[in-house]
Amino acid sequence: MKKIIAFVLSMALFVTMAGCGTTSPKEADQNASSEAANVEINPALIKSVTIYWADFESGEWNEQEKWEYSYENNYPVSKVISYPGVDEKTEIKFEYTFEGENPVSMVKYENGTKTYTSEYVNGRLSVKSQYFEDGVSTRHQIYSYGNNDDFFTSILHSSHVADVEPDMPYYNTEEIDTIMVTSENGLLKKTVNDGLYTNWLDGEDREWMRFNGTYTVNYDAMGIVNTTECTYRDEQVPVNYIFDVTVADGRVTEAIRKSAQQGSTEEINECKVVFEYTDMAIDAGRYSRMINDHIMPDGNSFYYYNWY
């Protein structure tokens, strides 16, 4: 951890200058409405999420997984994942400490094994660490907020996988995402992710390199992902995403993710997500992050929608 802290200090000026975005100050949105956009939002925590993947030959949707959440203090304490036709389930548990209504720390367990820890400052995610089965902490994400709101504008990623997995195809890695954030009424309107990364082995000099692309997300009036765009610096043709969102009574009930190669008019159905809700209300900003976290592709290089 000392190595990570030293790196953060060396990058402090860079984070401050490059991480600050264009977000206006956070505005109270407890009434869960976006008057400027004339869109009513009735946000609540999700009870279950059912995920379908498209059969590209038949065009039909095939159910893949169902996630069921339970909560305490409006934060998840368990997520149970079930699969069609399979008795075995995956159980994920979250153990929080709180100061008032704000979380201070969280430990995440998957089938009894610690996989992540999170630390919070004033209720906002500050540090997230990943653990391997032997309990070794190997990956860290450190979040910085350049504006007076809940949307981070930079992340420092630090990974030491080579220390415990020497056969992995990549080595130790440090990466800094710098993100321009535009919001309105406490909801995201646009995020643009750019930054630097480096790989190294012990004893080698770090060679900092610009990301291969710039990753942009546009959001609708509810702060839900609408389209993504990627511009590469080489001849690689990026895949962009389009989201068809169904809203009923101020809540997203279904979202379909489509993909299209840049320059193509053909949109291909990939994934459909169906939501059911609890009666526990939350603010509109956290609601949008929760929905976005479930409908964006896994491992995307656009933004991280931390809602717990």
Side-chain angles (χ1 to χ4, degrees):
M1 189 65 181
K2 292 181 179 179
K3 187 175 184 181
I4 298 170
I5 294 172
F7 180 77
V8 173
L9 293 174
S10 69
M11 291 296 293
L13 181 60
F14 177 77
V15 169
T16 302
M17 295 177 64
C20 291
T22 59
T23 309
S24 58
K26 181 180 180 181
E27 300 178 18
D29 200 14
Q30 299 301 318
N31 62 359
S33 67
S34 178
E35 295 179 357
N38 196 29
V39 172
E40 278 299 314
I41 308 176
N42 181 27
L45 289 167
I46 48 179
K47 178 182 180 180
S48 68
V49 181
T50 307
I51 302 170
Y52 301 82
W53 283 93
D55 184 315
F56 296 126
E57 293 184 359
S58 67
E60 297 180 353
W61 293 108
N62 296 321
E63 182 179 341
Q64 297 295 310
E65 299 179 4
K66 185 173 184 178
W67 302 356
E68 297 178 277
Y69 288 92
S70 59
Y71 301 89
E72 291 181 8
N73 296 329
N74 274 11
Y75 280 84
V77 292
S78 73
K79 179 172 75 172
V80 177
I81 305 175
S82 57
Y83 313 90
V86 178
D87 292 334
E88 184 178 354
K89 297 181 179 181
T90 299
E91 184 176 13
I92 298 173
K93 292 186 176 182
F94 308 85
E95 294 185 357
Y96 284 88
T97 59
F98 287 89
E99 184 174 298
E101 296 181 353
N102 289 331
V104 175
S105 65
M106 184 269 283
V107 182
K108 180 180 178 181
Y109 297 89
E110 184 168 335
N111 290 332
T113 299
K114 180 170 71 173
T115 55
Y116 282 95
T117 61
S118 295
E119 301 170 22
Y120 303 82
V121 176
N122 297 324
R124 300 189 305 191
L125 183 62
S126 176
V127 180
K128 184 176 181 180
S129 301
Q130 181 180 5
Y131 291 79
F132 277 77
E133 290 186 2
D134 58 6
V136 177
S137 177
T138 58
R139 292 192 181 102
H140 305 271
Q141 292 176 319
I142 302 175
Y143 292 80
S144 177
Y145 298 79
N147 305 291
N148 186 28
D149 59 21
D150 291 330
F151 304 115
F152 62 86
T153 53
S154 69
I155 318 175
L156 169 67
H157 307 261
S158 184
S159 176
H160 303 280
V161 175
D163 295 344
V164 293
E165 295 285 343
D167 296 329
M168 294 292 283
Y170 53 92
Y171 309 123
N172 292 346
T173 305
E174 285 178 349
E175 174 185 314
I176 183 78
D177 289 20
T178 58
I179 304 162
M180 296 297 292
V181 174
T182 305
S183 70
E184 181 180 343
N185 297 317
L187 299 175
L188 287 174
K189 298 298 292 182
K190 186 175 184 178
T191 54
V192 182
N193 186 353
D194 201 354
L196 301 168
Y197 72 96
T198 182
N199 296 342
W200 82 95
L201 289 173
D202 288 341
E204 292 186 353
D205 292 334
R206 294 175 177 82
E207 181 182 355
W208 286 96
M209 294 166 280
R210 177 75 51 187
F211 284 170
N212 187 36
T214 299
Y215 306 92
T216 301
V217 186
N218 300 295
Y219 303 83
D220 65 16
M222 294 180 66
I224 307 300
V225 173
N226 183 258
T227 60
T228 71
E229 307 166 14
C230 179
T231 302
Y232 287 116
R233 294 182 173 85
D234 56 20
E235 297 181 356
Q236 184 178 353
V237 178
V239 173
N240 297 325
Y241 294 100
I242 305 97
F243 297 82
D244 285 343
V245 175
T246 302
V247 178
D249 298 323
R251 297 175 181 173
V252 175
T253 57
E254 178 181 293
I256 295 177
R257 185 176 76 232
K258 303 178 180 182
S259 63
Q261 282 197 332
Q262 188 162 292
S264 172
T265 58
E266 182 183 10
E267 298 178 0
I268 301 172
N269 285 337
E270 281 194 356
C271 180
K272 179 172 72 172
V273 184
V274 177
F275 298 95
E276 294 182 347
Y277 291 89
T278 69
D279 59 0
M280 292 178 278
I282 57 176
D283 68 79
R286 185 177 173 213
Y287 174 79
S288 65
R289 297 196 302 274
M290 177 183 68
I291 298 300
N292 290 336
D293 184 46
H294 287 86
I295 67 177
M296 281 289 277
D298 290 339
N300 74 85
S301 300
F302 296 90
Y303 200 78
Y304 295 93
Y305 303 98
N306 302 310
W307 62 282
Y308 61 79

